[in-house]
């Protein structure tokens, strides 16, 4: 039985019996505890739906200011319903499950409160119940003629803190609103007379009264000047922190409403139904825009028309589907500009709402109509324009498309438990076989065709294949996903053994080998504890390996070699609690910057002025070159989260200028990130492609900073020459699966210089981690408040990259720990900067 219950049993508990830290929510009115009433329900429009009024009241404690403002600005019921769904989705602690624990728990607390105390959620007693659940102990005291009605809530602990605390409420005169009792008001506030010595009424529970007085005296005794109970109170009464407002900005950006004051233009719209996919009809929308009505986008000397299409599909008044397309057409197009989009809908009646934005003029077109989707069979005719635009797709649709598509989860670096879905099309599929790295792992004979895979704690490259078979067992369609692979990287990855799994007696070593385009594989060698066991020259790359019979630790390693001399390897420590990867580095390459006293780069130094030390031991430099003679591979990693909305244009322009300043031998790639990273422009020297990629960007969603950095560093692997990531961001990480320490560790292992630009970046963990990463990798951190200064920062980074020296040496180090590197340069006032170390 809880300690609070022992008080209820009528025991006068002394201070030596129980050591409680009681905190009281100190307020003078219900409004000051709950905060000023944020939603004036009476001020809402008369036609505002009752269900939405009720929702506002129920989540008033949870709503952030931006969320409240956006919800009140919505004009249509289906938009409000979609907002509520997204509101709870953003708070779901585990989106992978079918249950939204945050929503369900909140509704359960509301129901529990209403069952015991009534419907008024603005009653002062509602807040602790909503924030912390029902109290662990609750009792009432009412002695007519002596006390006002009193209620005591007791919590052993809450989700916020581990401290015990009590809340005392009273109801003056026995009518009206309940109040929190402030110990500074004195006990007189709780009594009908200022004396507690009056005779108890026959209806008074005297034991409960004594217990309450004992508790009150304890609280008062702990409330002298300087007692920090106010801090404890503040922690208990603080509502949960709402999610970052970027999801609200994104929700607004996907709107089909035309903001006030925005110019409009006209367009023609018609529809075709060229085919079907199982029970769904292919709906093709054709939008024709008069080129004279819009304006091209000018960037990097190239002109193009660019459009952003937001669409909503309503069924029975509810949002059924929402979609977004981006279109680009050359500015030399004449007359009508054709834009085509496609959805798959079941036959029936819908309302379709479209908003098309011309990114050149920033004018919009809005279209809303009823749409009747017919039943389509294999005997379908399509118009000539549909054939021209979607020739091959429509031919498949008209015949009743048969195929299967593996849907990749969001994100480039996949770890942990992942669910993969294979979407079938056509009527001939009998079953689907999933295979991982060539090994069948699951057969599904009915939809949904899905498989769950545990990809481990760190990203590893695997191939997932889905093969569709008919009733005769003939394969009729297939699709593959290569997970966590870099297009530039030569990789040798152990599929078996798996880190963290126990093996006894033996293990079949299996390796996945990815050879970059244009290269040839020489061999793959398999080692056990540095003993070479087998050399394989073609697939399958597998071999049985004996393990110690006593289950002792063993190191299994595979090493691949290309005919051009490049090497790659992967190692797993078998039967160990902590897995480690071992990389045998034969040749260490350092890119070194030299600065004078004024921090200006110094070039044209001879090689004999440099000294390299590894763990304090001098190393023999075997190769020395000036970087200006070598290619540079630069990944521009650009934050496009919603908070960058007002800064994205100058940031894009500065990044484009940086790319245009690179030499002909250099290559640049554009990766953008919000809540996930995306390769927008692969490595290229074509500045027009880079400009085109920048022109598409829109600021939306949250910020997954560390995931994006790990993705960018991985994308650089396998490249020859100096490699650098130039990262620009304006905020703290919010959505990453990887922690800051993971990003730092990955950067130290990648051998890529990281130049970070903090655009109005506040002091905090992200800023400190970026500084460490820049220092560890031989890069720099730039802090900029004005976007107009970005061009100068990019120019400084470009000059520094071109002013480095390449020093390479054969390491004499031993062991698998981190090896510290120090580069010294002869010359008064000169300072050398390079990566501070590496993991062998």
């Amino acid at each position: 039985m809880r300690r609070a219950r022992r008080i209820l049993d009528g025991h006068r508990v002394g201070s030596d019996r129980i050591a409680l830290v009681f905190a009281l929510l100190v307020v003078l009115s219900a409004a000051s505890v709950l905060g000023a009433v944020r939603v004036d329900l009476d001020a809402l429009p008369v036609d505002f739906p009752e269900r939405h009024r009720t929702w506002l009241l129920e989540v008033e404690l949870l709503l952030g200011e931006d969320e409240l403002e956006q919800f009140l600005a919505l004009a249509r019921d289906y938009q409000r319903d979609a907002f509520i769904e997204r509101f709870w989705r953003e708070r779901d602690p585990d989106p992978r499950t079918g249950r939204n624990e945050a929503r369900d728990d909140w509704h359960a607390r509301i129901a529990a409160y209403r069952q015991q105390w009534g419907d008024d959620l603005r009653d002062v007693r509602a807040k602790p119940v909503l924030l912390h659940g029902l109290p662990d102990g609750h009792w009432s005291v009412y002695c007519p003629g002596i006390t006002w009605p009193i209620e005591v809530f007791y919590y052993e602990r809450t989700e916020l803190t581990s401290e015990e605390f009590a809340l005392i409420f009273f109801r003056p005169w026995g009518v009206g609103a309940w109040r929190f009792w402030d110990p500074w008001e004195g006990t007189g506030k709780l009594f009908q007379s200022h004396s507690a010595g009056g005779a108890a009424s026959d209806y008074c529970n005297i034991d409960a009264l004594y217990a309450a007085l004992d508790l009150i005296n304890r609280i008062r005794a702990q409330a002298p000047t300087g007692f920090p109970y106010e801090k404890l109170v503040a922690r208990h009464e603080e509502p949960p922190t709402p999610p970052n407002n970027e999801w609200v900005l994104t929700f607004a950006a996907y709107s089909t409403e035309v903001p006030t004051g925005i110019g409009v233009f006209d367009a023609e719209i018609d529809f075709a139904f060229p085919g079907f996919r199982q029970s769904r009809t292919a709906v093709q929308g054709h939008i024709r825009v008069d080129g004279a009505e819009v304006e091209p986008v000018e960037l990097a000397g190239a002109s193009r028309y660019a459009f952003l299409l937001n669409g909503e599909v309503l069924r029975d008044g509810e949002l059924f589907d929402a979609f977004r397309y981006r279109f680009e057409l050359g500015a030399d197009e004449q007359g009508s500009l054709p834009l085509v989009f496609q959805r798959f809908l079941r036959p029936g009646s819908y309302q379709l709402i479209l908003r098309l934005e011309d990114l050149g003029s920033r004018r919009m077109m809005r279209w809303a109509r009823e749409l009747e989707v017919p039943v389509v069979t294999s005997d379908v005719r399509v118009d000539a324009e549909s054939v021209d635009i979607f020739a091959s797709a429509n031919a498949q649709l008209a015949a009743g498309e048969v195929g299967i598509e593996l849907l990749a989860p969001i994100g480039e670096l996949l770890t942990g438990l992942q669910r993969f879905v294979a979407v079938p099309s056509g009527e001939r599929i009998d079953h689907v076989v999933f295979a991982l790295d060539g090994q069948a792992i699951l057969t599904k004979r009915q939809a949904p065709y899905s498989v769950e895979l545990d990809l481990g704690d760190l990203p590893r490259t695997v191939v997932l294949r889905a093969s569709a078979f008919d009733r005769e067992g003939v394969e009729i369609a297939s699709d593959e996903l290569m997970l966590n692979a870099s297009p530039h990287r030569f990789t040798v990855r152990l599929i078996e053994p798996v880190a963290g799994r126990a093996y006894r007696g033996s293990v079949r070593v299996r390796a996945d080998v990815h050879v970059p385009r244009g290269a040839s594989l020489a061999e793959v060698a398999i080692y056990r504890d540095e003993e070479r066991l087998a050399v394989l020259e073609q697939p399958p790359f597998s071999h049985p390996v004996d393990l110690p019979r006593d289950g002792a630790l063993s190191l299994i390693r595979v090493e691949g070699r290309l005919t051009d001399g490049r090497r790659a390897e992967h190692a797993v420590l078998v039967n160990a609690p902590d897995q480690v990867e071992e990389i045998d580095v034969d040749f260490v390459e350092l890119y070194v910057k030299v600065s004078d006293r004024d921090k200006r780069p110094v070039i044209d130094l001879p090689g004999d002025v440099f000294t390299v030390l590894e763990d304090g031991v001098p190393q023999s430099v075997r190769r020395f070159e000036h970087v200006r003679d070598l290619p540079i591979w630069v990944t521009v990693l650009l934050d496009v989260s919603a908070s960058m909305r007002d800064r994205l244009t100058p940031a894009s322009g500065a990044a484009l200028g940086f790319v245009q300043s690179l030499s002909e031998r250099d290559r640049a790639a554009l990766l953008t990130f919000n809540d996930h990273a995306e390769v927008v422009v692969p490595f290229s020297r074509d500045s027009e492609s880079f400009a085109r990629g920048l022109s598409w960007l829109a600021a939306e969603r949250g910020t997954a900073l560390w995931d994006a950095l790990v993705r960018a560093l991985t994308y650089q692997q396998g490249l020859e020459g100096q490699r650098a990531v130039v990262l620009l961001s304006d905020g703290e990480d919010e959505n990453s699966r990887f922690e800051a320490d993971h990003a730092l560790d990955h950067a130290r292992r990648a051998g890529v210089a990281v130049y970070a630009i903090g655009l109005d970046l506040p002091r905090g963990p992200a800023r400190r981690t970026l500084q460490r990463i820049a220092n560890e990798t031989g890069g720099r951190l730039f802090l900029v408040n004005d976007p107009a200064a970005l061009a100068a920062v990019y120019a400084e980074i470009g000059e520094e990259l071109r002013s480095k020296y390449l020093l390479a040496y054969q390491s004499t180090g031993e062991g698998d720990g981190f090896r510290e590197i120090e580069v010294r340069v002869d010359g008064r006032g000169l300072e050398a900067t390079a990566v501070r170390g590496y993991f062998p």
Side-chain angles (χ1 to χ4, degrees), residues 645-693:
R645 181 173 53 183
D646 297 331
R647 309 171 187 178
L648 191 54
T649 298
S652 298
L656 178 60
F658 169 66
V659 171
Q660 290 174 328
S661 70
L662 298 175
S663 69
E664 287 296 328
R665 69 173 64 88
D666 303 329
R667 297 293 182 267
L670 174 63
L671 272 69
T672 62
F673 69 96
N674 36 50
D675 55 10
H676 73 285
E678 178 183 1
V679 179
V680 177
V681 181
F683 278 110
S684 170
R685 185 62 193 95
D686 182 7
S687 61
E688 184 174 343
S689 297
F690 208 86
R692 185 163 53 250

Side-chain angles (χ1 to χ4, degrees), residues 459-519:
R460 63 186 183 98
T461 300
V462 295
V463 176
L464 178 64
R465 181 181 178 89
S467 300
F469 294 83
D470 61 16
R471 293 183 179 180
E472 286 71 38
V474 177
E475 182 175 327
I476 54 177
S478 65
D479 192 20
E480 282 190 353
L481 284 178
M482 180 172 284
L483 310 176
N484 300 323
S486 168
H488 319 292
R489 185 182 179 188
F490 170 42
T491 60
V492 178
R493 180 68 58 177
L494 278 169
I495 302 170
E496 192 80 14
V498 178
R501 184 181 300 171
Y503 297 90
R504 294 293 182 269
S506 64
V507 60
R508 175 166 293 277
V509 175
R510 295 190 296 124
D512 175 77
V513 180
H514 173 71
V515 179
R517 181 178 299 178

